[in-house]
Amino acid sequence: QQQVKQSPQSLIVQKGGIPIINCAYENTAFDYFPWYQQFPGKGPALLIAIRPDVSEKKEGRFTISFNKSAKQFSLHIMDSQPGDSATYFCAALAGGTSYGKLTFGQGTILTVHP
Amino acid sequence: DAGVIQSPRHEVTEMGQEVTLRCKPISGHDYLFWYRQTMMRGLELLIYFNNNVPIDDSGMPEDRFSAKMPNASFSTLKIQPSEPRDSAVYFCASRISRDGYEQYFGPGTRLTVT
């Protein structure tokens, strides 16, 4: 019940394309859903996050869509660039007494060709 | 701010040897997390601390692994004895509770056990 399932494992798009990465969860206590971006040789870094009281959040070219009833959320990257090539992780957290413990998805390796 | 600092960045050791990984969290952060990343298992939470106290060590794979946080600015993850299957990238992350749930990751330590 604590798992977050992420797909696809890898994704290749052309520059300007709109890659979409999907995540699904079971634990209805999750109330914070961040996406982390990781470049080779670096640690993950927070990209964007959403709470379940909204269905969409946009920051620059990155958008999270959230479907509470389906227990799914996704990351869309508009006008993707080669510099967006990285590994993306979705995560989820149950507030309250979880002490901020994040449960991560398996990651998606995104390659954007020029 | 220097960010989360980890040392060493790379460690190569022989099976059976003791390995100590070090982490300095961001000053003022009250949570510290240790993660392990492998291709097969993704990003796994090993243990985390709140105000230097271990809260959840359920992710520690076995008794060969131990972690300490003697003060707010230093933590260690020790593996004794090390085994080839411990080869992975180990990340330390920290966060400050009053600013939400964002975790700040260090650059990682790449451990190779031969």
Side-chain angles (χ1 to χ4, degrees):
Chain A
Q1 192 180 17
Q2 290 295 320
Q3 284 186 326
V4 177
K5 295 182 179 180
Q6 182 173 346
S7 63
Q9 282 188 304
S10 62
L11 189 54
I12 300 173
V13 299
Q14 293 295 124
K15 178 182 174 182
I18 306 175
I20 300 172
I21 305 171
N22 300 298
C23 287
Y25 64 97
E26 290 295 325
N27 186 353
T28 55
F30 285 149
D31 60 0
Y32 172 76
F33 302 89
W35 285 89
Y36 278 75
Q37 179 187 53
Q38 183 181 25
F39 292 106
K42 306 290 186 182
L46 180 65
L47 184 64
I48 185 173
I50 196 169
R51 292 193 179 270
D53 53 343
V54 296
S55 60
E56 185 175 280
K57 183 174 181 180
K58 186 175 181 179
E59 287 186 3
R61 296 183 294 106
F62 299 91
T63 300
I64 300 178
S65 296
F66 186 83
N67 186 329
K68 188 174 181 178
S69 61
K71 291 184 283 187
Q72 295 175 347
F73 58 109
S74 59
L75 176 70
H76 301 234
I77 305 176
M78 310 301 289
D79 186 29
S80 59
Q81 301 296 312
D84 297 330
S85 297
T87 300
Y88 292 81
F89 294 93
C90 63
L93 176 153
T97 60
S98 76
Y99 294 96
K101 177 181 175 180
L102 287 170
T103 299
F104 282 90
Q106 284 296 96
T108 297
I109 301 172
L110 172 66
T111 303
V112 181
H113 287 309
Chain B
D1 199 323
V4 175
I5 298 172
Q6 291 187 247
S7 64
R9 292 295 313 277
H10 301 273
E11 177 80 38
V12 180
T13 191
E14 292 184 347
M15 182 174 63
Q17 295 298 307
E18 178 179 295
V19 174
T20 300
L21 311 182
R22 297 172 176 78
C23 174
K24 177 178 170 56
I26 294 173
S27 177
H29 282 199
D30 53 350
Y31 281 89
L32 184 138
F33 304 83
W34 281 102
Y35 291 89
R36 177 172 68 177
Q37 185 176 38
T38 61
M39 287 297 294
M40 289 297 295
R41 301 176 68 90
L43 200 58
E44 302 174 274
L45 176 65
L46 301 177
I47 185 172
Y48 67 100
F49 297 81
N50 176 223
N51 291 322
N52 314 336
V53 176
I55 301 300
D56 185 348
D57 65 355
S58 60
M60 297 286 261
E62 49 199 277
D63 292 344
R64 297 184 297 107
F65 286 69
S66 62
K68 294 182 180 179
M69 192 165 185
N71 56 62
S73 59
F74 184 66
S75 177
T76 60
L77 178 68
K78 186 176 293 186
I79 308 172
Q80 167 63 20
S82 58
E83 296 182 4
R85 61 192 167 120
D86 302 330
S87 297
V89 180
Y90 291 81
F91 288 102
C92 175
S94 69
R95 79 171 181 93
I96 184 166
S97 52
R98 68 167 186 263
D99 281 353
Y101 296 119
E102 180 176 359
Q103 293 183 19
Y104 296 80
F105 283 76
T109 295
R110 180 172 295 278
L111 173 65
T112 303
V113 183
T114 61

